[in-house]
Amino acid sequence: MKILVDAFGGDNAPEEIINASLLALFKHKDLKITLVGKAEVIQDCLVGKKYDQARLDILDAREVIGCDEAPVEAIRTKKDSSIVRAIEELKTKPDEYCAFVSAGSTGALLSASVLKLGRLKGVNRPVLAPILPTAKGTPVMLVDSGANMDAKSNNLVQFAMLAHVYMNKVLGVQKPRVALLNVGVEEAKGNELTKEVYPLLKQLPINFVGNMEAREFLSGDYDIVVADGFSGNVLLKSSEGALKMLMTEIKSTIMSGFWSKMGGLLMKGKMKDLKKKFDYEGFGGSVLLGTKGIVIKAHGSTKAKGFLAAIEQAMVIGQSNILTVIESEFEKMQSVDYLQEKANNDKEISQAVQEKINQQNEAQ
């Protein structure tokens, strides 16, 4: 198994990225990594470090795309950047590389992946899908977390299906519980988008459990939460910020006085368990679902530990046949017979489904 790694993406590149890659090679003897970036800088970082040289390659890329650059313009003009070179390698050598991991510019990574890799058959818009820890110790996936700021109802339907396939085929969740992010749990709540999406999700062959309020995101009662990119991004960052602030405040309180420190010493083991339980970086990065290649977006501020988790996440996905399964499921969704069967079983036939049936009947 061979993975491409963007050595120059993120706030802590290249040192932390290279350290994570070497840790991954040490832990996984069947893994090979290609570091993408300025070769001489990468080689300098490797001096004095022990690693299996036969399993580590360097792909020279002379440019770096910054987070402040216009994504589409950047990938067009900076063809020798680490992101563009890696994506092109993933596209032209699918039998050699199984995934690409980067902590670089989200916009550039999305644009390069969609424009150069292309979308899987049947997928309208690829989606960023991060995974976070919950109070019950189970993971929860959020789709979308920022790839599609102005999504439509049919996009959210596909987001749900993409996440369902991932949770089932990659994480082994048999009937992942799918919820729609909303301002209330009642079916009639929400804006025009959520009201339109709700009946469509009910008709999908998934375990749709209804609306979910944002405060329940990390409860562990849901496996997948569906949202447009704007709302999802706000939910993601507020949740990560709240977790980080909570841990900081707990530590500050424990260190505030002698007796607090004594109590903290007695609870040291429990505090470590709590920190580990809600360490979202330990879950890897955000997988881009829907493109013809496996791409993982790691946190921009991630260090070696978090980037190692993203590499290991890419390994797990690479061992699955998720791309083939997604295309198969989406082909099934486009079937007139499938849509008609679902419509017959539901008294409230949505206008969107009925229009799809009519269009395909006319085409025949």
Side-chain angles (χ1 to χ4, degrees):
M1 176 178 292
K2 198 170 185 178
I3 292 175
L4 289 151
V5 170
D6 181 4
F8 281 77
D11 302 335
N12 301 298
E15 189 71 28
E16 293 291 325
I17 307 302
I18 293 173
N19 288 341
S21 300
L22 298 185
L23 283 171
L25 291 175
F26 178 77
K27 289 182 63 178
H28 306 282
K29 302 305 180 182
D30 60 339
L31 175 65
K32 295 181 180 180
I33 287 178
T34 295
L35 293 170
V36 188
K38 296 178 181 179
E40 70 277 11
V41 178
I42 295 174
Q43 289 168 347
D44 287 344
C45 289
L46 291 172
V47 173
K49 296 178 179 178
K50 295 182 179 181
Y51 62 95
D52 186 351
Q53 296 184 15
R55 294 191 290 126
L56 183 68
D57 295 325
I58 298 174
L59 176 63
D60 190 35
R62 309 308 302 171
E63 298 174 299
V64 178
I65 297 177
C67 293
D68 58 340
E69 298 183 62
V72 176
E73 180 67 14
I75 65 172
R76 186 182 68 82
T77 57
K78 291 188 172 182
K79 296 181 179 180
D80 198 23
S81 64
S82 54
I83 287 179
V84 173
R85 289 295 306 277
I87 289 293
E88 288 178 343
E89 283 286 294
L90 187 62
K91 178 181 179 180
T92 57
K93 300 177 181 178
D95 295 332
E96 181 175 352
Y97 295 104
C98 70
F100 171 44
V101 184
S102 174
S105 166
T106 302
L109 187 62
L110 289 172
S111 299
S113 299
V114 174
L115 295 177
K116 293 185 176 294
L117 290 177
R119 297 167 295 175
L120 290 171
K121 184 179 179 181
V123 176
N124 293 328
R125 293 189 186 182
V127 59
L128 271 177
I131 294 178
L132 274 76
T134 69
K136 294 183 178 179
T138 56
V140 59
M141 172 174 274
L142 174 64
V143 286
D144 181 14
S145 68
N148 305 277
M149 293 297 179
D150 298 305
K152 298 180 180 179
S153 58
N154 64 314
N155 301 138
L156 267 65
V157 167
Q158 289 201 350
F159 297 169
M161 282 300 301
L162 287 167
H164 169 81
V165 173
Y166 183 94
M167 293 295 286
N168 181 252
K169 299 301 179 181
V170 177
L171 298 186
V173 182
Q174 294 303 311
K175 294 182 66 177
R177 299 158 296 177
V178 182
L180 176 64
L181 178 64
N182 210 326
V183 296
V185 297
E186 297 84 0
E187 184 173 348
K189 286 290 183 69
N191 55 19
E192 291 184 8
L193 177 61
T194 57
K195 290 178 181 178
E196 185 178 348
V197 171
Y198 193 101
L200 298 178
L201 293 178
K202 285 176 63 177
Q203 297 184 44
L204 290 179
I206 61 176
N207 182 22
F208 178 56
V209 295
N211 289 325
M212 182 209 75
E213 294 180 343
R215 63 187 176 189
E216 300 297 326
F217 179 45
L218 302 180
S219 66
D221 294 334
Y222 309 95
D223 302 303
I224 297 168
V225 176
V226 180
D228 63 89
F230 182 86
S231 302
N233 190 267
V234 172
L235 175 63
L236 175 66
K237 290 180 178 177
S238 60
S239 298
E240 289 178 342
L243 286 174
K244 185 176 181 179
M245 182 184 68
L246 178 62
M247 293 302 174
T248 301
E249 286 300 311
I250 290 176
K251 182 178 180 180
S252 177
T253 300
I254 291 175
M255 301 301 293
S256 62
F258 175 79
W259 292 113
S260 297
K261 290 179 181 179
M262 290 298 99
L265 186 62
L266 294 173
M267 295 181 62
K268 186 176 180 179
K270 293 296 183 181
M271 293 306 299
K272 282 186 176 180
D273 292 341
L274 180 64
K275 183 178 180 181
K276 183 178 180 180
K277 182 176 183 179
F278 286 102
D279 181 13
Y280 57 83
E281 285 195 353
F283 283 76
S286 300
V287 59
L288 182 60
L289 296 174
T291 57
K292 294 179 179 178
I294 298 170
V295 177
I296 304 292
K297 171 63 177 73
H299 293 277
S301 61
T302 192
K303 293 188 177 182
K305 177 185 175 183
F307 203 89
L308 170 62
I311 292 175
E312 292 179 327
Q313 179 186 15
M315 292 179 64
V316 173
I317 302 173
Q319 292 171 345
S320 70
N321 62 337
I322 187 171
L323 301 182
T324 301
V325 175
I326 287 174
E327 287 197 326
S328 176
E329 289 298 319
F330 273 69
E331 183 177 359
K332 190 186 302 181
M333 284 179 64
Q334 302 302 315
S335 167
V336 173
D337 292 337
Y338 166 75
L339 291 173
Q340 187 66 65
E341 179 182 353
K342 295 300 295 180
N344 290 339
N345 292 335
D346 195 327
K347 295 181 181 179
E348 299 178 1
I349 302 176
S350 71
Q351 183 178 359
V353 174
Q354 190 61 56
E355 287 178 355
K356 182 65 178 179
I357 296 172
N358 293 338
Q359 290 173 3
Q360 294 199 20
N361 284 336
E362 290 175 2
Q364 293 177 351

